[in-house]
């Protein structure tokens, strides 16, 4: 049998030791009418057949690497140094459990401590936790912290928050009677009854706003300021900590984690010192062993569900340690400077592509007045879905048609460049798009 | 950094190898703060950033994270890896955690470009294989649990619990039954159950256990009033004991208008052999990282799909996967949905592994439960002379022992746990369930050989014998781990949660 080490002889010996006549006897406490339901399950597969079946399914997708992809919108195809995969493929890391027994888990504990430390450096915050599920749930947890801290139940969120993040904040809020309002101008909308302001760096459309006034306005009314930030953006622009934010959350996927159809990624959260004990999730602290040597342990567990039960800061138990390890190795290999360089390359290429596309007749930037990093909303001739489909026939994933999220943006496409968008693929994009250029009515 | 031993150097000055002492942090490994590794050329006509990003405040200097040279980083990771117990090294008998072997092939399969290199916003036509896998996995999990539909979206077990409770709230609300604000939870339940209930905005009512570890039916009956939204149960429960009155409890709950929630943490005892749906459960969450063998990763990523009976399907998180003939698509049309509980569609990489695991067993999957229970009962019988057992009733895939009332007065569960580490054995879950003093909860899983169970039993017996002779020595353990007993009190009293550059 697939992964079962004991043969018939061992099983017989074990039953004898137990004093049972059969395995069936061990299930005697289960009412008989519940036992052995008729299940319709496929035949067991040999490993080779299993590989064939999974390769068949994998063969029925078109990976980004086989296309010229300009899709981003929260999930990015960034170059992942090989050492990242080599690290997370080690059984010492991927088969380990949550490091409850510190003495036998120093490897995992130290890498988490390093993750916490590097996230602090990147975001400019005081304290970071060991990770959360993803960027969207991290934002929702941040909002719940703000609700608990302020005793208020209204949230003011920027309208250009990622739609997935906004949706998850709403779902989390609904259970607790938390109301979520969206606005284009958070700093003038936030008031004394509000728990928090939530903004994004960059916004869903890739644009960067002046965010320091949001943090100031929130502070002035006793609300918590939350910034949902792209970690690579934090390597280039002034990070949320420097802008005065109380909580920074985000998705660590751009730090060495493959897109993987949306998960697993890794959420992160970093806060000001005063909010440390309100944080959800695991925290690793530096301490010492009996011989005075540096050692690490899970700490401040009195916040957590296994100690505090219904009074815990969150119900989170498992975090995303292995993807956090990928991010740790990525950050350590790239360094702050390497990540900034990756951001710069992405900015240069995106702006070059945007310039060439908006020079084509019928194409223009949808938000020409707003500065953007490596993503931009592009107005195309006609319906963006039609355009994207036509481009796809040329092997190009031209971007994300925005009509899916906003009916007013049916003619817009969110286009993304990273360091994996080669100059040759930029040329092919422009070449293919130029066939749609010209007066719109001709192409319809 | 370690010094290099010079010829003629006194032995006392030769530093210990790095893996035997303190491991430096990445910040202490050197590496440059200015440049980072070589990057590709932009390949376009670069323009000044100030021109491209007008009015945007940029970092004056890069974030102070060193770019560690690859050979240095590789050894750092290698040394850290040696400091972890793991499944390729030895048994991990953590009760309630189901630390079974993770098949090597599943890791390879999840890394196929057709799964790892696809984007959640690609057109359905480009990701048919991924959608088909999700659709098939949902069918398989429905068959195994006896539920009508399953959402693969929750990222972990606790996340699934909260998702399930949100659906239960939505179900009652849709019926105008708005006074049901309480959840009945046994005192032996996992801490996530009450925490998830609180996060959903529900009030927790704790239900007493009988001396045999099962739920006190009379206490359930007492609290099953018009305020009860649901009962959350783990079956077998956290003592490893099957809730013999489950059908009666289900009947009572439904009669009172409450729903029955199944915490799937212990499904490994029953997978393929009995179904929560047949027991009367309305909502079920699964831990793919337990029963279906996706790796624990040092604490995630997990995956916590949640299944529901027919009446709750309108409230499932959106989107679900739909099939039209031989085409698959994401279905966002769920007007009564509780909404999205995380971004995109779930921890897809974990779904691939779980799907592969289930297909490997297929129709023989009950062998998992049979061998898991056989292994646990065998280990329990081997440990009978070493530790008192917490309950007298028959347990299934896990059991709870205690050091209290055992051969050595003063021997604590913590001491046994720490001494086990010296033998290359990870400690069982200690001090849980909280209803048992000095609890040691063992769950060997089906992937341990008899030989490995015999070894564990012998090590436990040796530790108790050692404690009879020299209790202080056991209390001083561990001795052979990379660090000795870690001062967790200091960690909590003066929290140091990050490295800081010396000023």
């Amino acid at each position: 049998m697939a992964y079962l080490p004991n043969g018939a002889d061992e099983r017989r010996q074990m039953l004898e030791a137990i004093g049972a006549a059969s395995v069936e006897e061990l299930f005697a406490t289960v009412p008989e009418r519940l036992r052995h339901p008729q299940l319709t399950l496929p035949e067991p597969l040999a490993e080779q057949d299993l590989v064939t079946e999974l390769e068949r399914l994998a063969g029925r997708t078109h990976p980004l690497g086989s296309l010229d992809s300009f899709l981003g919108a929260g999930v990015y195809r960034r170059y992942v140094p090989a050492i990242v995969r080599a690290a997370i493929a080690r059984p010492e890391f991927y088969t380990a459990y949550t490091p409850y027994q510190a003495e036998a888990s120093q490897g995992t504990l130290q890498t988490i401590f390093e993750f916490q430390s590097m996230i602090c450096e990147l975001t400019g915050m005081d304290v970071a936790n060991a990770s959360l599920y993803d960027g969207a749930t991290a934002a929702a947890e941040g909002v719940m912290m703000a609700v608990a801290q302020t005793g208020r139940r209204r949230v003011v969120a920027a309208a250009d928050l990622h739609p997935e993040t906004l949706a998850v904040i709403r779902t989390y809020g609904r259970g607790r009677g938390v109301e979520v309002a969206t606005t284009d101008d958070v700093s003038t909308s936030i008031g004394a009854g509000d728990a928090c302001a939530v903004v994004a760096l960059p916004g869903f459309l890739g644009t960067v706003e002046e965010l320091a006034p949001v943090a100031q306005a929130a502070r002035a009314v006793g609300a918590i300021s939350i910034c949902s930030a792209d970690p690579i953006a934090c390597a280039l622009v002034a990070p949320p900590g420097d802008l005065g934010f109380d909580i920074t959350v985000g998705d660590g996927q751009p730090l060495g984690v493959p897109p993987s159809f949306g998960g697993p990624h890794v959420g992160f959260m970093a806060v000001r010192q005063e909010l440390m004990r309100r944080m959800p999730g695991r925290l690793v602290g530096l301490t010492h062993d009996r011989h005075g040597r540096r050692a690490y342990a899970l700490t401040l567990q009195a916040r957590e569900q296994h100690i505090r039960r219904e009074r815990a800061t969150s119900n989170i138990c498992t975090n995303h340690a292995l993807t956090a390890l990928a991010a740790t190795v990525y950050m350590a290999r790239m360094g702050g400077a390497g990540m900034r360089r990756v951001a710069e390359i992405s900015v240069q290429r995106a702006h070059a592509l945007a310039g060439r596309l908006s020079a084509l007749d019928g194409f223009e930037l949808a938000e020409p007045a707003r500065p953007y990093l490596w993503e931009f909303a592009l107005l195309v001739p006609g319906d963006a879905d039609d355009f994207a489909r036509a481009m796809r026939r040329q092997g190009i994933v031209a971007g994300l048609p925005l009509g899916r999220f906003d009916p007013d943006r049916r003619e817009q496409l969110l286009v993304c460049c990273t360091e994996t968008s080669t100059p040759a693929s930029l040329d092919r994009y422009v070449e293919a798009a130029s066939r749609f250029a010209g007066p719109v009515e001709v192409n319809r | 950094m370690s010094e290099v031993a010079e010829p003629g150097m006194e032995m006392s000055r030769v530093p210990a190898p790095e893996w035997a002492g303190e491991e430096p942090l990445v910040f202490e490994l050197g590496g440059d703060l200015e440049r980072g590794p070589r990057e590709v050329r932009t390949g376009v006509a670069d323009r000044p950033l100030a021109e491209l990003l007008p009015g945007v405040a940029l970092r004056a200097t890069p974030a102070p994270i060193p770019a560690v040279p690859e050979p240095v980083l590789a050894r750092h990771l290698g040394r850290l890896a040696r400091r972890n117990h793991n499944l390729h090294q030895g048994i991990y008998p953590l009760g309630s955690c189901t630390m079974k072997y993770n098949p090597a092939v599943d890791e390879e399969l999840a890394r196929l470009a057709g799964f790892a290199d696809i984007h959640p916003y690609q057109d359905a036509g480009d990701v048919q294989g991924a959608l088909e896998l999700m659709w098939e996995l949902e069918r398989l999990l429905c068959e195994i649990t006896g539920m009508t539909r399953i959402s693969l979206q929750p990222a972990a077990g606790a996340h699934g619990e909260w998702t399930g409770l949100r659906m239960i709230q939505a179900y009652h609300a849709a019926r105008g039954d708005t006074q049901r604000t309480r959840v009945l939870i046994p005192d032996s339940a996992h801490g996530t159950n009450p925490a998830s209930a609180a996060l959903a905005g529900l009030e927790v009512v704790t239900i007493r256990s009988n001396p045999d570890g099962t739920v006190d039916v009379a206490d359930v009956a007492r609290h099953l009033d018009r305020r009860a939204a649901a009962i959350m149960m783990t079956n077998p429960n956290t003592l490893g004991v099957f809730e013999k009155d489950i059908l009666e409890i289900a009947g009572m709950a439904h009669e009172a208008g409450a729903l029955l929630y199944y915490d799937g943490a212990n499904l490994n005892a029953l997978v393929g052999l009995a179904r929560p749906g047949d027991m009367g459960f309305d909502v079920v969450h699964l831990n793919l990282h337990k029963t279906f063998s996706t790796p624990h990763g040092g604490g995630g990523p997990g995956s916590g799909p949640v299944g529901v009976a027919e009446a709750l399907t309108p409230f499932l998180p959106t989107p679900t996967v739909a099939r039209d003939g031989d085409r698959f698509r994401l279905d966002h049309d769920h007007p009564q949905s509780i909404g999205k509980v995380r971004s995109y569609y779930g921890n897809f990489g974990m779904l691939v592994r779980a799907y592969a695991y289930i297909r490997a067993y297929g129709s023989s999957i009950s062998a998992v439960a049979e061998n898991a229970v056989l292994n646990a009962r065998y280990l329990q019988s081997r440990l009978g002379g070493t530790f008192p057992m917490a309950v007298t009733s028959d347990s299934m895939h896990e059991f709870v022992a205690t050091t209290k009332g055992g051969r050595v007065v003063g021997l604590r569960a913590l001491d046994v746990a720490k001494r086990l580490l010296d033998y290359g054995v990870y400690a069982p879950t200690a001090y849980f369930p909280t209803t048992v003093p000095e609890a040691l909860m063992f769950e060997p899983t089906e992937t341990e050989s008899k030989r490995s169970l015999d070894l564990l039993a012998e090590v436990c017996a040796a530790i108790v014998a050692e404690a009879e002779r020299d209790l202080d020595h056991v209390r001083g353990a561990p001795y052979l781990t990379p660090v000795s007993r870690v001062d967790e009190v200091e960690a909590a009293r003066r929290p140091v949660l990050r490295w800081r550059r010396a000023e």
Side-chain angles (χ1 to χ4, degrees):
Chain A
M1 201 68 74
Y3 312 112
L4 301 173
N6 291 321
D9 278 352
E10 281 100 354
R11 283 203 289 272
R12 194 169 49 244
Q13 290 164 24
M14 290 161 76
L15 281 170
E16 266 170 36
I18 298 167
S22 67
V23 169
E24 192 60 25
E25 217 179 288
L26 306 180
F27 289 83
T29 51
V30 181
E32 208 168 334
R33 54 183 268 219
L34 293 175
R35 267 182 268 161
H36 300 293
Q38 280 301 308
L39 301 186
T40 311
L41 291 171
E43 285 293 288
L45 293 180
E47 182 172 316
Q48 192 180 335
D49 289 329
L50 186 62
V51 170
T52 304
E53 164 62 6
L54 275 282
E55 281 178 344
R56 177 187 73 80
L57 290 168
R60 294 196 61 215
T61 68
H62 294 279
L64 299 178
S66 68
L67 302 160
D68 288 333
S69 174
F70 296 85
L71 201 48
V75 179
Y76 301 94
R77 189 163 193 274
R78 294 207 172 274
Y79 182 76
V80 181
I83 184 97
V84 174
R85 280 185 298 278
I88 63 168
R90 291 186 78 124
E92 296 94 330
F93 291 123
Y94 82 79
T95 76
Y97 191 70
T98 303
Y100 287 129
Q101 298 294 337
E103 297 83 1
S105 315
Q106 286 295 303
T108 293
L109 286 163
Q110 182 167 338
T111 61
I112 294 174
F113 186 82
E114 292 177 346
F115 175 80
Q116 292 173 181
S117 301
M118 286 190 275
I119 289 293
C120 287
E121 300 290 359
L122 200 55
T123 57
M125 306 299 294
D126 295 326
V127 198
N129 75 2
S131 77
L132 294 165
Y133 305 138
D134 65 356
T137 57
E141 291 275 10
V143 166
M144 290 299 137
M145 273 175 72
V147 168
Q149 174 80 8
T150 60
R152 305 172 184 174
R153 286 177 182 272
R154 186 168 175 273
V155 176
V156 180
D160 72 345
L161 223 51
H162 196 295
E164 306 267 347
T165 302
L166 202 49
V168 174
I169 291 175
R170 287 189 199 283
T171 309
Y172 271 66
R174 224 169 275 136
R176 290 278 188 87
V178 174
E179 180 204 341
V180 183
T182 58
T183 170
D184 287 330
D185 190 349
V186 176
S187 53
T188 60
S189 306
I190 186 128
D194 298 329
C196 59
V198 193
V199 295
L201 173 69
F204 181 56
L205 300 181
T207 55
V208 185
E209 311 290 331
E210 211 190 327
L211 296 177
V214 174
Q216 283 158 16
R219 178 145 309 158
V221 296
I224 301 288
S225 55
I226 303 175
C227 183
S228 172
D230 179 300
I232 296 292
C234 291
L236 178 68
V237 305
D242 293 7
L243 303 175
F245 281 84
D246 298 311
I247 300 177
T248 302
V249 292
D251 201 308
Q253 183 272 329
L255 305 173
V257 180
S260 198
F261 205 40
H265 296 164
V266 53
F268 63 83
M269 174 184 282
V271 303
R272 295 204 170 284
Q273 191 67 40
E274 308 86 84
L275 292 170
M276 175 178 75
R277 284 171 203 273
R278 287 230 182 253
M279 264 206 289
R282 311 288 190 198
L283 287 170
V284 170
L286 171 67
T287 179
H288 295 90
D289 75 352
R290 284 202 172 159
H291 298 105
R293 289 178 296 198
R294 236 194 235 181
Y296 304 87
L298 291 173
T299 195
L300 302 182
Q301 296 187 67
R303 301 163 296 112
E304 290 189 66
Q305 49 76 27
H306 61 287
I307 309 283
R308 177 121 336 153
R309 300 176 80 87
E310 66 268 26
R311 292 184 307 280
T313 53
S314 163
N315 69 335
I316 193 167
C317 173
T318 294
N319 47 44
H320 274 36
L322 195 70
T323 35
L325 174 63
T328 304
V329 178
Y330 180 89
M331 289 189 279
R333 178 67 200 102
M334 301 299 290
M339 289 186 276
R340 181 164 83 170
R341 185 69 199 130
V342 158
E344 283 171 3
I345 296 166
S346 306
V347 169
Q348 293 290 353
R349 286 184 180 167
H351 285 254
L353 179 63
R356 290 169 71 186
L357 288 173
S358 49
L360 299 175
D361 210 2
F363 290 81
E364 57 183 300
L365 289 185
E367 307 285 343
R370 301 164 72 184
Y372 61 94
L373 296 176
W374 43 80
E375 284 180 275
F376 55 91
L378 179 72
L379 265 166
V380 300
D383 185 272
D385 261 314
D386 293 344
F387 173 76
R389 256 192 300 276
M391 291 288 280
R392 176 63 189 81
R393 284 194 286 275
Q394 314 287 314
I396 299 167
V397 182
L400 178 69
L402 288 169
R404 287 185 205 177
F405 301 94
D406 182 354
D408 293 339
R409 293 185 185 270
R410 267 198 207 98
E411 299 184 340
Q412 296 178 26
L413 206 60
L414 185 61
V415 183
C416 173
C417 287
T418 71
E419 73 281 14
T420 67
S421 320
T422 62
S425 74
L426 266 55
D427 292 344
R428 288 192 288 270
Y429 194 126
V430 176
E431 161 70 23
S434 65
R435 284 178 225 139
F436 296 84
V440 170
E441 48 281 9
V442 176
N443 290 289
R444 273 222 169 119
Chain B
M1 296 300 293
S2 68
E3 305 161 45
V4 176
E6 301 288 343
M9 193 185 223
E10 285 174 33
M11 278 310 287
S12 62
R13 289 194 53 216
V14 177
E18 279 174 323
W19 49 264
E22 293 180 348
E23 174 60 26
L25 288 158
V26 285
F27 297 93
E28 300 161 327
L29 289 171
D32 81 277
L33 287 166
E34 301 299 321
R35 293 171 56 84
R38 182 191 302 281
E39 273 302 321
V40 292
R41 292 197 181 87
T42 51
V44 298
D46 284 8
R47 290 163 57 199
L49 285 178
E51 202 177 292
L52 299 179
L53 302 171
V56 176
L58 301 180
R59 274 185 179 273
T61 55
I65 298 170
V68 182
E70 182 171 324
V72 176
L73 185 57
R75 289 221 177 118
H76 173 62
L77 293 163
R79 289 188 301 261
L80 287 175
R82 294 177 65 133
R83 293 171 162 242
N84 259 8
H85 184 78
N86 65 88
L87 277 168
H88 286 217
Q89 181 185 311
I91 188 169
Y92 234 125
L94 275 170
S96 238
C97 302
T98 316
M99 291 296 289
K100 61 172 75 178
Y101 175 75
N102 313 124
V105 71
D106 295 356
E107 295 306 300
E108 282 189 16
L109 294 171
R111 291 194 173 90
L112 291 173
F115 296 136
D117 193 22
I118 54 175
H119 193 288
Y121 288 154
Q122 272 182 279
D123 276 342
D126 279 343
V127 292
Q128 282 294 300
L131 294 172
E132 181 178 345
L133 184 146
M134 290 173 69
W135 194 86
E136 289 289 346
L137 179 61
E138 184 185 343
R139 297 281 90 65
L140 294 173
L141 294 176
C142 282
E143 189 67 19
I144 287 167
T145 57
M147 306 313 284
T148 306
R149 287 219 67 178
I150 285 182
S151 169
L152 303 172
Q153 206 175 103
H159 201 217
E161 290 174 18
W162 167 79
T163 302
L165 291 170
R166 292 288 302 121
M167 285 193 273
I168 287 171
Q169 288 173 301
Y171 166 85
H172 289 308
R175 292 156 50 95
D177 203 353
T178 51
Q179 57 199 327
R180 295 192 182 271
T181 54
R182 295 174 139 195
V183 191
L184 280 47
I185 301 177
D187 54 10
S188 62
H190 299 110
T192 48
N193 289 183
S196 298
L199 182 64
L202 290 159
E203 189 189 334
V204 176
V205 180
T206 304
I207 301 295
R208 282 201 305 266
S209 302
N210 296 312
D212 70 355
T214 57
V215 165
D216 181 342
V217 178
D219 203 30
V220 172
R222 237 187 323 277
H223 291 102
L224 268 178
D225 54 24
R226 298 187 57 79
R227 291 171 296 175
I231 311 177
M232 284 183 100
M233 290 179 67
T234 308
N235 197 15
N237 63 30
T238 59
L239 288 144
V241 178
F242 190 86
E243 293 287 356
K244 57 187 187 312
D245 302 315
I246 187 60
L247 294 168
E248 189 190 342
I249 293 170
M252 283 163 47
H254 290 149
E255 195 145 310
L259 298 177
L260 205 56
Y261 182 99
Y262 184 86
D263 177 331
N266 289 347
L267 185 67
N268 212 46
L270 296 173
V271 58
L273 236 146
R275 310 196 297 175
D278 298 340
M279 297 172 204
F281 284 95
D282 303 288
V283 182
V284 173
H285 93 258
L286 302 170
N287 301 77
L288 298 187
H289 46 288
K290 293 182 180 177
T291 315
F292 301 103
S293 185
T294 70
H296 278 75
S303 179
V306 54
V308 292
E310 182 70 42
L312 285 106
T313 53
F315 312 108
L316 283 166
T318 181
T320 55
V321 179
R323 177 180 193 160
D324 306 319
D326 62 350
R327 302 291 291 172
F328 299 87
R329 64 180 169 84
L330 291 167
D331 179 4
H332 294 269
D333 185 20
H334 299 286
Q336 288 183 278
S337 166
I338 60 163
K340 288 191 72 75
V341 300
R342 55 153 289 163
S343 57
Y344 317 110
Y345 328 121
N347 278 344
F348 178 74
M350 298 297 130
L351 305 181
V352 174
R353 291 170 172 90
Y355 178 72
Y357 178 81
I358 295 172
R359 290 299 308 269
Y361 279 104
S363 53
S364 70
I365 198 151
S366 63
V368 169
E370 287 161 1
N371 284 276
V373 174
L374 177 62
N375 275 4
R377 287 291 296 277
Y378 174 69
L379 180 64
Q380 187 180 26
S381 75
R382 288 288 321 254
L383 287 175
T386 307
F387 301 117
M389 294 297 151
V391 291
T392 49
S393 47
D394 283 348
S395 54
M396 300 190 75
H397 69 302
E398 67 187 5
F399 59 89
V400 181
T402 171
T403 56
K404 196 176 174 189
R407 300 215 309 262
V408 186
V409 176
L411 177 65
R412 302 196 59 204
L414 182 72
D415 303 323
V416 175
K418 295 301 183 193
R419 190 62 174 133
L420 279 168
L421 305 179
D422 281 333
Y423 290 88
V425 171
Y426 203 79
T429 300
Y431 301 100
F432 186 83
T434 47
T435 47
V436 177
E438 300 300 326
L440 285 169
M441 183 195 226
F442 290 87
E443 180 183 7
T445 84
E446 75 280 6
T447 58
E448 291 305 319
S449 65
K450 175 175 177 293
R451 185 194 171 92
S452 146
L453 301 174
D454 287 335
L455 186 70
L456 174 57
E458 282 157 26
V459 167
C460 287
I463 290 171
V464 171
E466 181 183 49
E468 282 180 313
R469 294 191 310 274
D470 186 355
L471 183 57
D472 283 344
H473 189 67
V474 175
R475 282 179 172 163
Y479 302 99
L480 303 175
T481 46
V483 296
S484 61
R485 187 93 52 114
V486 173
D487 188 350
E488 299 189 11
V489 175
E490 181 200 340
R493 195 169 290 159
R494 284 191 302 276
V496 178
L497 304 178
R498 64 178 291 193
W499 179 84
R500 275 186 199 276
R501 190 165 276 99
E503 293 298 328

